[in-house]
Amino acid sequence: MDKKQHIAVFTTASLPWMTGTAVNPLFRAAFLSKDGERKVTLVIPWLSLKDQELVYPNNITFSSPSEQEKYVHQWLEERAGFRSCFSIRFYPGRFSRDKRSILPVGDISEIIPDEEADIAVLEEPEHLTWYHHGKRWKVKFHLVIGIIHTNYLEYVKREKNGRMKALLLKYGNSWVVGIYCHKVIRLSAATQDYPKSIICNVHGVNPKFLEIGKKKIEQQQNGKQAFTKGAYYIGKMVWSKGYEELLRLLHDHQKELAGLEVDLYGNGEDSDQVQEAAKKLELAVRVHPGRDHADPLFHDYKVFLNPSTTDVVCTTTAEALAMGKIVVCANHPSNEFFKQFPNCWTYEDSNGFVEATRRALAEEPSQLTNEQRHELSWEAATERFLKATELDQAPAKKLSKIPPKAFMSTSLNLGRSMEDASAYVHFVASGFEASRKIFGAIPGSLQPNEEQRKELGLAPS
């Protein structure tokens, strides 16, 4: 009998879309399965060709799930440095233009057969369950762990009638996460709070960035100039991803920052507007297409400017620190984990940004210790994940005890009954096209269409 833990990692995006919810769950699956002690399946969205063309960069498209699976494994192997032993399965997804994200179609829990359903990790559980209509996650899986990646409330607040929308979304998120997850991990305090959640950064960096950082340390120790370029920023080129804050800071302090040169790298819906705004500045702010952060082009930059306050834990900040750079970022809950590193320089206000930026350009970065480098790694992130979820304990320790007193048992049963009723309300509401549409679901997303069924080998409707 197979006594290994079966962990299914469900996420909301996939390569070649270079977004955090595509990259980080991929590395999580790789490092959870690395020691061979667990059976791991990564479950990612499959998009029709039309949506692939909207989402994936550089005209990359796939004619079949197996073709994309090969691409994902190859990309990972080139960066992780070892051959991964987890499997990949696909669920039907559709791209929502207004939400700028991929939403699941149908009951995606069915992708994992009942006999394999043991532990589910829902990367962005609110996103995966807003419109879920099917088997209840807590019933199908013995343990459901939600990992909160995204500060949705901060994004929504920036929209028209944002405060009211954010209030409604806050209660909606708490509702579905409470219904469907046993445990909730928030990557930082920058997310909304959830009952019984814990804060723990369970993300690491691509090993390639640590290798780059190691070479930079060797150059510094040999007395060579390790960093020959100035300041840059990389991120999806939409205003809410830090570009609005950065360009405002540069605009408001052009005199104090005279002579500063900044390179911006990214692709996104607001690229043209960002380029126009950059041209209006007296400072030399150059806008470039997005590239892989591990590209040699970035190795010699010394300072990473990241004023974003919409991130939860910024992947590119971690990557820049791993490469040995100085990071100038806001004193914000999303950056709390990074404050332990000597090259993370935070600021309180715009004057602090100017002072930190000028000082960073004038000084040399500190050399990270082996312990600090380990803290940034996926090995350390996996250790933190297993400890936070108690999956590092023997199965016997995870068994729940029967409440010793009758009133405790009654209270527990009452709580379960209320949760069951709440789950039933969500099941009913998510089963009607009209109610789904009111709450923002993509029309026709209750079940996959025939094209996606055929591509994924699902039974005809």
Side-chain angles (χ1 to χ4, degrees):
M1 186 174 177
D2 189 357
K3 293 182 180 179
K4 287 184 179 180
Q5 291 174 336
H6 289 210
I7 302 178
V9 180
F10 290 79
T11 191
T12 56
S14 176
L15 297 178
W17 192 7
M18 292 296 294
T19 187
T21 50
V23 175
N24 290 309
L26 175 60
F27 278 107
R28 191 180 328 284
F31 280 85
L32 280 172
S33 62
K34 186 179 180 182
D35 60 11
E37 292 183 8
R38 304 166 198 88
K39 180 179 179 181
V40 180
T41 303
L42 179 66
V43 189
I44 56 179
W46 168 256
L47 298 177
S48 65
L49 183 60
K50 184 175 67 175
D51 278 347
Q52 289 183 43
E53 290 170 347
L54 289 173
V55 176
Y56 298 151
N58 305 321
N59 299 314
I60 300 173
T61 58
F62 307 98
S63 58
S64 67
S66 60
E67 187 182 343
Q68 186 168 5
E69 179 180 359
K70 183 180 178 182
Y71 176 94
V72 171
H73 274 301
Q74 186 175 335
W75 184 95
L76 177 66
E77 194 173 329
E78 288 171 358
R79 287 153 182 82
F82 61 89
R83 192 170 183 80
S84 54
C85 54
F86 65 92
S87 60
I88 294 178
R89 290 181 183 165
F90 291 83
Y91 68 81
R94 285 176 64 183
F95 181 66
S96 169
R97 288 183 184 235
D98 62 318
K99 293 181 178 60
R100 296 178 176 179
S101 59
I102 298 168
L103 295 175
V105 177
D107 179 7
I108 67 171
S109 72
E110 291 181 343
I111 301 302
I112 300 296
D114 290 347
E115 61 273 15
E116 293 181 25
D118 182 14
I119 300 163
V121 178
L122 304 186
E123 312 269 359
E124 292 197 301
E126 68 281 68
H127 185 142
L128 287 168
T129 60
W130 281 326
Y131 311 113
H132 176 70
H133 181 74
K135 188 171 286 189
R136 193 167 155 197
W137 290 89
K138 281 184 180 178
V139 172
K140 169 135 185 169
F141 293 90
H142 299 128
L143 177 63
V144 183
I145 301 157
I147 301 180
I148 309 297
H149 287 244
T150 307
N151 190 357
Y152 285 110
L153 303 188
E154 186 61 36
Y155 289 120
V156 170
K157 282 176 187 174
R158 298 174 180 230
E159 299 177 0
K160 187 178 179 182
N161 303 318
R163 293 204 171 274
M164 179 56 71
K165 287 181 181 178
L167 183 64
L168 293 171
L169 182 61
K170 180 181 177 180
Y171 285 107
N173 287 346
S174 294
W175 183 34
V176 294
V177 170
I179 290 169
Y180 295 120
C181 295
H182 294 104
K183 294 177 181 281
V184 180
I185 298 174
R186 299 160 59 201
L187 296 176
S188 77
T191 70
Q192 78 174 75
D193 196 6
Y194 289 88
K196 300 178 183 177
S197 64
I198 62 168
I199 296 172
C200 183
N201 177 20
V202 292
H203 285 179
V205 298
N206 178 336
K208 273 205 166 183
F209 294 104
L210 291 166
E211 290 174 18
I212 295 164
K214 192 175 181 180
K215 289 177 183 175
K216 289 297 177 184
I217 290 173
E218 290 170 0
Q219 289 175 3
Q220 288 173 304
Q221 290 174 341
N222 292 332
K224 296 179 181 178
Q225 188 177 1
F227 302 97
T228 57
K229 296 179 182 177
Y232 76 108
Y233 177 62
I234 182 173
K236 185 179 179 183
M237 206 164 280
V238 294
W239 285 117
S240 59
K241 283 287 190 181
Y243 289 94
E244 184 177 351
E245 292 90 341
L246 181 55
L247 287 169
R248 188 190 304 124
L249 286 165
L250 296 176
H251 175 271
D252 293 348
H253 296 277
Q254 295 187 79
K255 288 184 179 178
E256 299 98 309
L257 294 169
L260 174 68
E261 296 185 11
V262 182
D263 291 308
L264 308 179
Y265 295 88
N267 300 315
E269 295 88 338
D270 298 328
S271 297
D272 292 342
Q273 293 178 37
V274 169
Q275 197 143 13
E276 284 302 311
K279 286 177 182 176
K280 293 176 182 177
L281 298 175
E282 293 175 17
L283 299 172
V285 179
R286 297 176 287 267
V287 181
H288 309 275
R291 301 180 74 152
D292 190 323
H293 201 187
D295 191 294
L297 175 76
F298 297 106
H299 295 187
D300 294 336
Y301 282 102
K302 183 169 69 171
V303 181
F304 181 65
L305 302 176
N306 185 8
S308 175
T309 55
T310 57
D311 288 303
V312 173
V313 172
C314 184
T315 302
T316 50
T317 292
E319 292 168 350
L321 289 170
M323 288 190 282
K325 306 179 190 303
I326 296 172
V327 173
V328 176
C329 58
N331 185 11
H332 185 264
S334 62
N335 295 318
E336 195 64 34
F337 176 80
F338 301 126
K339 289 181 183 178
Q340 64 184 293
F341 302 101
N343 291 329
C344 176
W345 296 7
T346 60
Y347 60 87
E348 297 287 348
D349 53 29
S350 61
N351 290 327
F353 169 81
V354 172
E355 182 184 340
T357 300
R358 291 171 65 175
R359 189 161 66 92
L361 289 167
E363 297 183 16
E364 286 302 306
S366 299
Q367 296 175 27
L368 294 184
T369 64
N370 289 336
E371 291 77 13
Q372 289 166 342
R373 285 163 45 78
H374 177 72
E375 273 299 291
L376 288 166
S377 72
W378 266 106
E379 283 86 357
T382 303
E383 291 165 11
R384 293 192 293 267
F385 172 80
L386 292 172
K387 185 177 180 181
T389 57
E390 299 178 61
L391 292 177
D392 60 340
Q393 298 180 13
K397 294 181 181 179
K398 295 192 293 178
L399 294 174
S400 57
K401 297 178 181 178
I402 298 170
K405 295 182 181 179
F407 77 87
M408 288 181 70
S409 182
T410 302
S411 174
L412 191 64
N413 288 334
L414 179 62
R416 283 177 179 169
S417 296
M418 291 177 67
E419 186 179 293
D420 290 343
S422 185
Y424 180 72
V425 170
H426 185 261
F427 177 80
V428 172
S430 62
F432 291 99
E433 195 65 50
S435 56
R436 290 171 66 84
K437 191 174 180 181
I438 289 170
F439 290 105
I442 299 173
S445 61
L446 189 54
Q447 294 293 337
N449 58 33
E450 292 306 316
E451 180 188 0
Q452 284 192 311
R453 286 182 180 277
K454 186 177 179 181
E455 290 169 338
L456 291 171
L458 303 175
S461 57

